[in-house]
Amino acid sequence: MATNQAARLLLRAAARASHVAPRPVVRPSAFTLVRIPKQGRGNGRRYYSSEAAPKSGGSGGIIFAAVAAIAGGGGYYLYSTGQLDSLISAAGIPAKEFVPTQEDYAKIYNEIAKRLVEFDEYDDGSYGPVLVRLAWHASGTYDVETKTGGSNGATMRFQPESDHGANAGLKAARDFLEPVKEKFPWISYSDLWILSGVCALQQMGGPVIPFRPGRSDRDISACTPDGRLPDATKEHKHLRAIFGRMGFNDQEIVALSGAHALGRCHTDRSGFDGPWTFSPTMLTNDYYKLLLNEKWSWKKWNGPAQYEDKTKALMMLPTDMALVKDREFKKWVDKYAKDQDAFFKDFSDVVVKLFELGVPFKQEERWVFKVVE
Ligand code: HEM
């Protein structure tokens, strides 16, 4: 703490000396770093470069002395909060770009995978499903016409979007990822949430989901209005309107819905209750098989209208049942129920499309991360 306070004081002094205000703590996807010789780099982190420092005189000299003094612990504080950049630019020191590589993102993938195993007491034994729901709700606000919403921005960090009824319960997923963000502060929340969805799907036995970075966090003004995500009490027309607005066709709607092989409904979140399948932490095509082969009837209870199977252990939402009631949707349910490989292939393609809606990527290449065994 004392070191952090000292660091803050030094930062203010440095900013005053150079008439440059400290930059707000907003990180671009690639940011500026300089390196110092080994002895100054705790934990392999990059700090200040003594080679790059001015030799003498002016405010730069004072700043260099200050930074050198705090390079041990305070240096990392400044680095992790983004204030080191301010100090460096205040001193007019040439800086080197830190552009994270596939290897850097793989470290984050592995960290999330490790945490999924570590915190296996949550819900049905995994945070995986709720991470998938977070990534989908971050992306599914996209409007193809106005080009607003989508996974670029992570605006669910702010009210009112975090309080939209459809997002109830997603704080659990955001909180689960917070220590990962603290450990790797250079990643944007928007890339982190999507990478966590990719990781969760792959770690829960799903297909490979290629990923590319490039999302940046936006402020509260980019929050989308309530009502962009689907309403589970409705039917086929609503599904086509909502997913059509994102740019998806019938086949893609049915393929995306297969994610309901995972996770469950919670009475304290959506009001609905129960899982869709008997293996809610493994991605399979069971959702389609159950839709076709089980006998579904209305659940008799005081909660919102939902279906239950004979065992009363499983559930379907009205929107799930719309996929077998509508002839065009049902064609695809039949296909995916028969052929898990076909489902996995189409699911991977459509999830990549979902997760990339509205993102102004600079990078063409997508990366594949290895499943952590
Ligand atoms: C077709 C329209 C959809 C509707 C109406 C819908 C609705 C819902 C509802 C009501 C829940 C329960 C939330 C709770 O109480 O915790 C839920 C959970 C979930 N949804 Fe959807 N969803 C839809 C599409 C999707 C899509 C496209 C995906 C992913 C690609 C998805 C992934 C999930 C997952 C993984 C869960 C489980 C979350 C958990 O276990 O905490 N859903 N959905």
Side-chain angles (χ1 to χ4, degrees), residues 129-130 136 230 232 239 243 259-260 263-266 269-270 276 319:
V130 79
W136 135 239
L239 286 181
F243 283 92
H260 281 174
R264 61 164 56 242
C265 293
H266 304 78
R269 296 180 183 180
S270 59
W276 289 266
T319 39

Side-chain angles (χ1 to χ4, degrees), residues 116-336:
L116 284 175
V117 176
E118 204 176 321
F119 296 94
D120 64 352
E121 308 240 307
Y122 174 79
D123 229 0
D124 295 306
S126 175
Y127 270 92
V130 79
L131 293 183
V132 173
R133 184 168 164 245
L134 174 68
W136 135 239
H137 282 210
S139 312
T141 54
Y142 188 63
D143 178 352
V144 81
E145 251 177 45
T146 58
K147 305 212 180 327
T148 54
S151 69
N152 194 43
T155 46
M156 206 200 294
R157 287 167 299 145
F158 308 115
Q159 287 173 321
E161 202 174 322
S162 56
D163 288 345
H164 289 171
N167 291 333
L170 289 176
K171 188 174 183 300
R174 296 194 299 271
D175 288 351
F176 173 84
L177 293 171
E178 203 49 45
V180 183
K181 173 71 176 161
E182 269 162 35
K183 191 162 174 186
F184 301 93
W186 52 263
I187 191 170
S188 64
Y189 278 102
S190 16
D191 270 340
L192 176 63
W193 291 358
I194 297 303
L195 183 56
S196 82
V198 166
C199 175
L201 286 168
Q202 293 195 165
Q203 294 299 126
M204 291 189 289
V208 161
I209 314 281
F211 168 88
R212 58 178 159 157
R215 297 163 192 79
S216 47
D217 296 339
R218 305 185 62 198
D219 66 24
I220 193 167
S221 66
C223 279
T224 46
D226 201 359
R228 287 205 176 178
L229 291 162
D231 175 346
T233 64
K234 303 230 164 116
E235 298 220 345
H236 55 280
K237 268 194 198 156
H238 173 73
L239 286 181
R240 288 199 174 94
I242 292 280
F243 283 92
R245 191 213 62 229
M246 294 174 222
F248 292 114
N249 62 27
D250 283 4
Q251 173 261 321
E252 291 172 316
I253 295 172
V254 179
L256 278 172
S257 300
H260 281 174
L262 299 167
R264 61 164 56 242
C265 293
H266 304 78
T267 47
D268 59 340
R269 296 180 183 180
S270 59
F272 298 98
D273 190 28
W276 289 266
T277 66
F278 288 111
S279 51
T281 61
M282 279 297 289
L283 187 65
T284 63
N285 64 342
D286 283 2
Y287 168 78
Y288 304 107
K289 290 186 189 163
L290 288 160
L291 264 178
L292 290 176
N293 303 330
E294 275 306 314
K295 192 170 161 346
W296 296 98
S297 47
W298 288 108
K299 182 180 169 80
K300 291 180 188 63
W301 72 325
N302 288 330
Q306 67 175 65
Y307 293 84
E308 64 183 7
D309 71 331
K310 279 195 302 296
T311 70
K312 300 186 189 299
L314 302 181
M315 65 93 60
M316 288 288 166
L317 300 165
T319 39
D320 296 311
M321 291 306 287
L323 303 185
V324 279
K325 286 187 187 169
D326 181 279
R327 213 185 297 163
E328 290 306 307
F329 282 146
K330 185 169 174 292
K331 276 194 223 162
W332 298 104
V333 175
D334 289 337
K335 175 173 173 164
Y336 297 142

Side-chain angles (χ1 to χ4, degrees), residues 36-84:
I36 52 164
K38 259 210 164 94
Q39 71 273 20
R41 279 194 219 168
N43 307 325
R45 308 274 179 192
R46 296 120 172 145
Y47 298 134
Y48 198 83
S49 166
S50 56
E51 287 123 19
K55 293 266 181 297
S56 66
S59 58
I62 300 164
I63 293 159
F64 173 62
V67 176
I70 57 170
Y76 179 64
Y77 169 79
L78 292 178
Y79 156 74
S80 64
T81 56
Q83 294 172 358
L84 186 56

